[in-house]
Amino acid sequence: MKPSKMIGGDYSLELNNIFHTGQVEPASCFQRLFGSVQTGLILKDITLEVRAGEVMAILGSKGSGKRALLEVIARRSKGLSRGQILLDGRPLTQAMFNQCCAYVGHRADLVPSLSVQQTLHYAANLSIGSQVSGYVKDSRVRQVLADLALSQVARHSVEALTEGEYRRLVIGTQLVKDPVLLLLDEPTAGLDPLTTYLVVSMVSSHAKRRGRAVILTMEKPRSDVFPFLERVAYLCLGDLVYAGPTRMMLDYFRAVGFPCPEMENPLMYYLCLSTVDRRSRERFVESNAQIVALVEKFKMEGAPYRKSSAMSVLLGSPPSDHQPNSHPYPYSAQGSSTTQIGMTLYQRQFASTFGCSWQALFYLSARLIAMPIAFLLIWMFYRDIKDYQTTFMSRSGLLLTCITTTYLTSIFTTAYTFAPHRTRYYQENQDGTYNGPLFLVSYFTFSLPLAFLTVFGSSAILHHLMKFDDWTELSLFAAVLLSCYLFAEQLVVAVMAVSRNPYNTSVFCIYIVSVMIVLGSGMLRSYRGMSEWLSWVTYATQTRYVGAYLTAQAFDGRQQYTGLPQSAAQNCSIPAAEPFACRYPDGASYVNERYPVTVADPQINLVASFVFPVAAAVFNVLLYVAPLPSYVKAKFRE
């Protein structure tokens, strides 16, 4: 039975005696890599409840354990946890949470070139099952746009949104699947008072209208959000100071000797009461002793508040049942097919590149126009090259420039177009939406035709400059450059599995490609003058095979390079010609000087050129399946 079938119309989330141990201090890269991170008890005996249709705020200062509590509920915490988490009376597993619930982190990155409506549309197609009709999905998208006051900016690109609109859109990507439990980590952080009010009121309206439970964390709650919070929990260094109905909070603290002064914001007043004062040693000791007393007091007297409604505490009676809501099951409970998710990822790639925003125009230009422009500049620079033996090195430089330009264009294009989708993948993968291989297959399926177009279009610009006899030679020339383009793309994808910054990724990949070109191309250093061990190393470089193939194609067997003069001033056909200056009677002589016969085999080099991108693609699939260290993935999520 699917987890969604377990959720009734009147449900509750219960936390019973939750303890959690995790990292308590910042750790260096080596400490995290070798598992020597200092840990401690972060959550201590947390017991609370939130029911359908209610909004609970978890309040506390920085380091109080708010985010850790949300991650424990979402089954995403790293470390040892014990206790009981029940949703509608059933243990809440990670699979059940991913299917029926949603988590919105403090920071979420959306694809900037998509519009608001497209972002919600693809979020719906990824999370809502294929059994739900397209009409229902579109209706759900329109409803979320209206509920979050985003209808007026539905056609605006994500990059053009204000901070408040962006935050509401991030929440909307999860609301679109109508989760029975929504966790929000600091949804109002950094927002102005009006936007804060709007966000909390919209979330509260959704919870009441759809009969859903919402838990959100706040560090600085304002008094105007008080009416929208049915429950509140105060945390201090992992201890629970109070958890229960918001409207009974004043009575509880008044009963234990801490009445809220008039004209004070009660949420903020009791948050300050639950925070250790570190301004001096005396205040620290006094406030810490006071908080310890409050924690012990609530452990002894807080049982009626933790897991009862406000009216039940007031009347001393059991909690009354909620009316069953008309939307007991989330849309995501239907399940999505792999084909549907793969097609949605492909369509999102297409829409983000062929959209109407400036960011989409940048992506399209990088994929289709950047390399042809670079090759046009190469043509302008080399168009006046003459047929002399002294220009053989210039023609070799032309080949080297083509190879280098192809690598560099692919690196920069992939680094800046792949980055937003890679970051989005890490965040959606944590929701259990799809896995790494499916993400990579959809990306490669989209990028391959564009790579084909840009490489073959760029190669056509040099058709006459390269003196190709027919289109078959041009096709082979473009095919070898395509292998370079695809390998550089795979190299960037591999590095970006662990690197967030596109610029740093580009620089690192350029270093690798530079070493490959200097070491293996044979254009900067002849293989005949290379030491044996260094020659063996070049077998691991793609440029060994690419450089040898293109050089042989450009020079070997071409009649126009037979019997050329050394220069305009020296004719090599006369007896007085200098032997060293006229050492290339034909193109094959130049190839033999640069490459041994074993290196210049064209068939082997052509096949080997494509082995590298294929092998790199297989490696990337394995890399995105392998469980990377949590601190690496955290860079893309937090």
Side-chain angles (χ1 to χ4, degrees):
M1 181 179 293
K2 292 183 178 181
S4 59
K5 301 300 182 182
M6 303 177 185
I7 309 299
D10 179 32
Y11 63 90
S12 64
L13 174 74
E14 300 178 53
L15 277 66
N16 298 317
N17 308 113
I18 298 297
F19 292 84
H20 175 66
T21 302
Q23 180 179 334
V24 294
E25 289 186 0
S28 65
C29 179
F30 291 102
Q31 286 178 317
R32 291 178 295 186
L33 188 62
F34 294 104
S36 58
V37 177
Q38 184 174 354
T39 60
L41 198 58
I42 297 177
L43 298 176
K44 310 166 188 175
D45 197 13
I46 305 298
T47 299
L48 52 83
E49 178 189 52
V50 59
R51 304 184 67 84
E54 294 182 339
V55 177
M56 167 177 271
I58 301 176
L59 307 179
S61 60
K62 187 176 181 180
S64 60
K66 303 188 300 296
R67 180 177 299 176
L69 180 57
L70 292 187
E71 291 181 345
V72 168
I73 296 174
R75 298 304 188 183
R76 299 180 180 181
S77 59
K78 303 300 178 183
L80 180 63
S81 300
R82 57 187 176 93
Q84 194 177 42
I85 302 177
L86 304 177
L87 182 60
D88 197 32
R90 307 296 180 94
L92 180 60
T93 63
Q94 185 174 14
M96 186 178 180
F97 182 90
N98 289 339
Q99 191 176 45
C100 300
C101 311
Y103 181 97
V104 179
H106 175 60
R107 193 201 74 197
D109 295 282
L110 304 175
V111 181
S113 56
L114 294 177
S115 69
V116 172
Q117 188 169 12
Q118 286 175 327
T119 300
L120 292 178
H121 170 76
Y122 293 120
N125 285 340
L126 287 173
S127 58
I128 299 178
S130 54
Q131 295 87 343
V132 180
S133 67
Y135 174 79
V136 173
K137 293 178 183 177
D138 292 339
S139 299
R140 184 63 190 148
V141 169
R142 290 192 296 270
Q143 183 65 51
V144 171
L145 286 171
D147 291 346
L148 298 179
L150 293 173
S151 299
Q152 298 297 323
V153 295
R155 298 189 180 277
H156 293 196
S157 65
V158 171
E159 62 180 343
L161 299 179
T162 65
E163 181 65 25
E165 292 167 345
Y166 188 93
R167 195 72 58 85
R168 299 203 301 272
L169 178 58
V170 170
I171 296 174
T173 59
Q174 297 295 338
L175 283 185
V176 75
K177 66 181 182 180
D178 192 24
V180 298
L181 173 65
L182 178 64
L183 306 181
L184 303 171
D185 184 14
E186 298 284 355
T188 61
L191 300 182
D192 59 85
L194 178 59
T195 306
T196 297
Y197 178 87
L198 288 175
V199 169
V200 177
S201 64
M202 290 172 182
V203 170
S204 175
S205 175
H206 169 81
K208 292 178 175 59
R209 187 177 62 258
R210 305 287 296 185
R212 300 316 197 194
V214 177
I215 301 178
L216 56 87
T217 62
M218 301 181 74
E219 192 169 332
K220 296 179 180 179
R222 293 176 52 85
S223 59
D224 52 4
V225 304
F226 188 94
F228 302 113
L229 307 177
E230 282 72 31
R231 291 177 181 271
V232 66
Y234 285 100
L235 286 178
C236 179
L237 300 179
D239 284 308
L240 202 58
V241 178
Y242 173 82
T246 308
R247 300 190 184 279
M248 299 304 298
M249 175 183 66
L250 298 176
D251 295 336
Y252 170 77
F253 279 106
R254 186 183 301 112
V256 297
F258 294 94
C260 180
E262 293 187 10
M263 307 304 293
E264 283 279 352
N265 173 7
L267 294 175
M268 198 66 192
Y269 177 78
Y270 290 119
L271 175 58
C272 294
L273 185 68
S274 306
T275 303
V276 176
D277 191 341
R278 303 178 185 274
R279 288 176 293 180
S280 66
R281 177 177 177 81
E282 292 75 15
R283 290 184 176 183
F284 175 83
V285 173
E286 181 182 355
S287 61
N288 187 65
Q290 178 178 282
I291 291 172
V292 170
L294 286 172
V295 170
E296 293 299 323
K297 191 77 172 177
F298 188 72
K299 285 181 180 180
M300 294 184 294
E301 302 180 8
Y305 297 87
R306 288 192 187 98
K307 305 179 68 173
S308 301
S309 67
M311 187 60 66
S312 302
V313 176
L314 185 62
L315 300 177
S317 59
S320 59
D321 291 336
H322 292 272
Q323 292 296 323
N325 67 81
S326 58
H327 308 282
Y329 308 134
Y331 290 108
S332 58
Q334 303 294 330
S336 301
S337 66
T338 302
T339 303
Q340 175 191 346
I341 294 176
M343 285 298 299
T344 300
L345 292 174
Y346 179 89
Q347 292 167 2
R348 187 168 70 178
Q349 289 272 358
F350 188 91
S352 67
T353 304
F354 293 91
C356 300
S357 66
W358 288 107
Q359 193 72 32
L361 181 62
F362 168 74
Y363 292 157
L364 183 62
S365 301
R367 287 186 177 278
L368 292 180
I369 303 177
M371 188 170 174
I373 291 177
F375 270 59
L376 183 60
L377 294 176
I378 294 174
W379 175 82
M380 294 175 62
F381 186 80
Y382 284 96
R383 61 179 178 173
D384 295 328
I385 189 172
K386 305 297 182 181
D387 288 338
Y388 299 118
Q389 292 189 29
T390 54
T391 60
F392 278 10
M393 291 300 296
S394 297
R395 291 194 174 275
S396 181
L398 170 61
L399 296 176
L400 179 63
T401 304
C402 292
I403 295 172
T404 304
T405 302
T406 302
Y407 277 130
L408 295 182
T409 305
S410 179
I411 287 172
F412 283 113
T413 298
T414 307
Y416 285 93
T417 59
F418 179 71
H421 296 279
R422 177 277 326 269
T423 305
R424 195 75 195 124
Y425 152 70
Y426 274 117
Q427 294 168 354
E428 291 174 336
N429 174 258
Q430 199 172 27
D431 297 332
T433 309
Y434 53 88
N435 54 30
L438 183 59
F439 165 65
L440 291 182
V441 168
S442 65
Y443 177 80
F444 297 153
T445 303
F446 172 76
S447 66
L448 183 59
L450 298 181
F452 179 88
L453 289 176
T454 190
V455 172
F456 274 76
S458 303
S459 301
I461 296 175
L462 303 180
H463 178 265
H464 294 291
L465 186 60
M466 297 299 301
K467 298 183 179 298
F468 292 134
D469 296 329
D470 51 41
W471 287 97
T472 301
E473 290 188 346
L474 173 63
S475 299
L476 292 173
F477 174 78
V480 174
L481 291 185
L482 178 62
S483 71
C484 297
Y485 191 98
L486 296 179
F487 178 72
E489 180 181 56
Q490 297 297 333
L491 178 63
V492 173
V493 170
V495 175
M496 296 201 85
V498 295
S499 173
R500 178 179 176 84
N501 189 290
Y503 176 78
N504 294 338
T505 300
S506 300
V507 171
F508 180 78
C509 292
I510 289 173
Y511 282 146
I512 295 178
V513 168
S514 299
V515 172
M516 289 171 48
I517 291 174
V518 172
L519 186 63
S521 67
M523 297 175 179
L524 296 176
R525 180 175 181 177
S526 172
Y527 271 84
R528 294 191 178 278
M530 190 178 296
S531 59
E532 184 178 358
W533 71 270
L534 203 57
S535 179
W536 280 102
V537 173
T538 61
Y539 279 98
T541 65
Q542 185 193 35
T543 51
R544 171 189 175 97
Y545 310 97
V546 171
Y549 182 87
L550 294 183
T551 301
Q553 185 194 41
F555 293 98
D556 198 6
R558 297 196 176 275
Q559 295 298 322
Q560 59 266 42
Y561 294 148
T562 301
L564 290 178
Q566 194 268 345
S567 65
Q570 184 173 358
N571 190 341
C572 291
S573 62
I574 61 177
E578 183 180 350
F580 181 79
C582 298
R583 66 184 185 277
Y584 302 135
D586 52 28
S589 301
Y590 177 76
V591 176
N592 292 334
E593 182 185 78
R594 308 301 298 178
Y595 304 95
V597 177
T598 56
V599 177
D601 189 313
Q603 293 182 347
I604 293 178
N605 292 333
L606 181 61
V607 173
S609 298
F610 281 93
V611 168
F612 280 83
V614 172
V618 173
F619 172 79
N620 281 330
V621 169
L622 297 176
L623 179 63
Y624 278 74
V625 170
L628 295 176
S630 58
Y631 73 88
V632 173
K633 294 184 177 181
K635 294 189 297 183
F636 306 99
R637 296 169 177 163
E638 298 178 357

